[in-house]
Amino acid sequence: MKIIKSATINDIDAKEVNVESTFTKGLPSFTIVGLVSSAITESKDRVKSALLTNEFKFPPKKITVNLSPSEIKKSGTHFDLPVALLISLYEEKNINFKDFHIFGELSLNGEIKDSSYIFPIILSLAKQGLLKNILVCENSAKKISKIPNINIYCVRNLIEAIEFFKNEDKSRFLYKKDELKYEKININGKEFYFSNEYILDFKDIKGQENAKKAALISAAGNHNILFEGSPGCGKTMISKRLPYIMSPMSLDEILDIAKLQALDLKEPDFKPLRVFRSPHNTSTKASIIGGTALGEIALANNGILFFDELPHFSQSILEALREPLEDYKLLVSRVNKKVLYDTKFLFVSAMNPCPCGNLLSVKSNCRCNELEVKRYKNRLSEPFLDRIDLYIVMNETNLNEISTFSSKSMHLQVIDAFKMQVLRGQKELNGKLSDEEIRKYCILDEECEKILNKAIENFNLSFRSINKVLKVSRTIADLEGVVNIQKSHLLEALSYRKR
């Protein structure tokens, strides 16, 4: 019995699968077993057609192909090539598939094609250290060529795949790996990538200098932020420009985002640009939290999750956000299994001050009564708001105001602050530091301690709020290139707390 290694996607990670085959006496038949999806069941016809088209004789035996382990549900068309190789080479005694993982969908004439699951499967297996040598088609090889520490071998069709295993010299099939062609910085021997293209620029926004400064702090430290202001004052414009000024990305982060893009059935672009997920406020809880498919929370990992018109989201959705905003992980329980998602995203939100939006306006009259305003704001609970690092009230602007911020200048400041954080030995940005790391990196002098204690008494700050203030203070100091947190940094951080 010959065995070929492949894999299947299981929620967000991959599980290794052994493709086994037996050829026994009996009425000629072809069966694939092992809790397979309809796409794998249909591969029988694709494999048979590919073999017969290329003048291979289909064995007149009872052929059973098993995908092991059988308790895991398998899906995807990439099992076509392993199955076809087992059948076409069943008489070859000296061929060994032991060191290779094989993936590929077959066309009816034997051409090998890419499928949407191949990239996330190989990336997941590579991170688990489960594979070294891979055989795929050229289109798949282009996608996975960014993954480090693997050898990629490339074939175009079934004939070449068979020749590959019959030939002892496999070097001519080796695919030359690509490198990311973006700007990069090297810190302590580790490379981080960034893009200097600013399709949406902060200089297009008139005025709102205080809100832009808060956006700069948010991007530099990955701090959750809430903008409140009248309609048209620039809340959404600022939010949509945040991805272009965020901190540089490691190769692992770029690959993780590409993996989520592939699972979302999108073509991975491998750009060092944070994803920007912006679900509508009418979205269901399952589409945001995750149900049978990935939710917006999981897809926003290492990127931005933007909620516009925040109070109009379902209260059950907002309350469900409390855990991922605190623990940076989300456990979703399903029938017979539990799935754990990473949720290390920057939460950005925007809201009006009242239902009509004109409570803070000096040009328009507010049509809401006191009860309506109170009911509108009560949709956001205190525990939820406590998880917001930066709270910004924005005023209306006029056309005569100028912009002193540009995305390029802001991005350069973020990169400098990022270098300080990495050189300190931080594995996470300031906004995602643990309690232990806060005590290590967010140290206050005696004067700052007194100010913080007074603020705790006056504003009734919770333990979580105190940590938020310390982390924001640390980021403001980093943006100014200062080693220790100073009085001005702490006072500015306190000014961003919701009162």
Side-chain angles (χ1 to χ4, degrees), residues 112-333:
I112 302 172
K113 299 188 288 186
D114 180 44
S115 75
S116 58
Y117 285 134
I118 290 177
F119 173 75
I121 286 173
I122 294 175
L123 175 59
S124 180
L125 290 179
K127 284 196 164 189
Q128 297 173 53
L130 295 176
L131 82 174
K132 186 67 178 176
N133 301 311
I134 302 152
L135 182 67
V136 289
C137 69
E138 187 175 357
N139 286 338
S140 298
K142 287 179 182 176
K143 292 182 183 179
I144 67 174
S145 62
K146 311 289 191 305
I147 302 174
N149 305 321
I150 59 173
N151 300 319
I152 304 166
Y153 295 89
C154 182
V155 289
R156 291 175 296 177
N157 50 49
L158 183 56
I159 299 293
E160 279 193 7
I162 293 169
E163 181 188 348
F164 173 82
F165 284 104
K166 286 184 175 181
N167 196 333
E168 289 187 6
D169 182 19
K170 296 177 171 51
S171 58
R172 71 184 181 92
F173 296 97
L174 192 63
Y175 188 83
K176 187 179 179 181
K177 301 184 78 171
D178 296 336
E179 291 186 2
L180 290 174
K181 297 176 182 177
Y182 291 100
E183 298 289 330
K184 61 183 178 181
I185 54 175
N186 192 303
I187 309 175
N188 291 339
K190 189 172 182 181
E191 292 181 336
F192 298 90
Y193 299 85
F194 64 94
S195 174
N196 52 13
E197 293 182 9
Y198 307 104
I199 298 171
L200 299 176
D201 203 314
F202 274 87
K203 67 182 179 184
D204 299 329
I205 303 171
K206 303 291 183 183
Q208 302 297 1
E209 303 303 288
N210 187 48
K212 291 178 192 175
K213 175 65 186 298
L216 174 64
I217 297 168
S218 175
N222 214 15
H223 299 286
N224 302 324
I225 187 168
L226 168 60
F227 298 102
E228 181 180 342
S230 303
C233 67
K235 304 185 294 293
T236 305
M237 287 183 72
I238 290 176
S239 301
K240 288 183 175 180
R241 282 154 176 76
L242 270 171
Y244 299 95
I245 66 165
M246 290 188 70
S247 58
M249 302 171 66
S250 66
L251 180 59
D252 282 345
E253 289 177 316
I254 294 172
L255 292 175
D256 278 341
I257 287 177
K259 172 186 171 183
L260 292 171
Q261 288 173 331
L263 291 173
D264 198 28
L265 302 181
K266 294 179 180 177
E267 193 68 21
D269 54 20
F270 301 101
K271 288 184 178 179
L273 186 68
R274 308 277 176 176
V275 294
F276 185 85
R277 306 292 301 190
S278 179
H280 193 261
N281 57 62
T282 57
S283 300
T284 63
K285 185 177 180 180
S287 69
I288 292 178
I289 305 302
T292 55
L294 288 175
E296 295 290 337
I297 284 180
L299 293 169
N301 188 44
N302 288 322
I304 293 175
L305 180 64
F306 176 53
F307 276 19
D308 203 0
E309 304 296 343
L310 182 64
H312 290 289
F313 279 84
S314 161
Q315 191 162 12
S316 63
I317 291 175
L318 296 179
E319 294 306 307
L321 275 175
R322 284 158 57 175
E323 181 185 345
L325 286 175
E326 183 74 18
D327 302 328
Y328 318 125
K329 291 185 182 296
L330 176 66
L331 183 67
V332 178
S333 296

Side-chain angles (χ1 to χ4, degrees), residues 437-468:
E437 290 169 327
I438 291 170
R439 289 191 293 271
K440 183 177 179 181
Y441 299 118
C442 305
I443 301 170
L444 301 180
D445 59 24
E446 190 176 340
E447 184 182 12
C448 290
E449 285 277 5
K450 290 179 180 178
I451 294 171
L452 181 59
N453 289 331
K454 191 171 183 180
I456 293 170
E457 293 177 11
N458 292 344
F459 303 130
N460 194 26
L461 297 179
S462 66
F463 183 73
R464 185 187 295 111
S465 297
I466 296 166
N467 283 344
K468 297 286 187 189

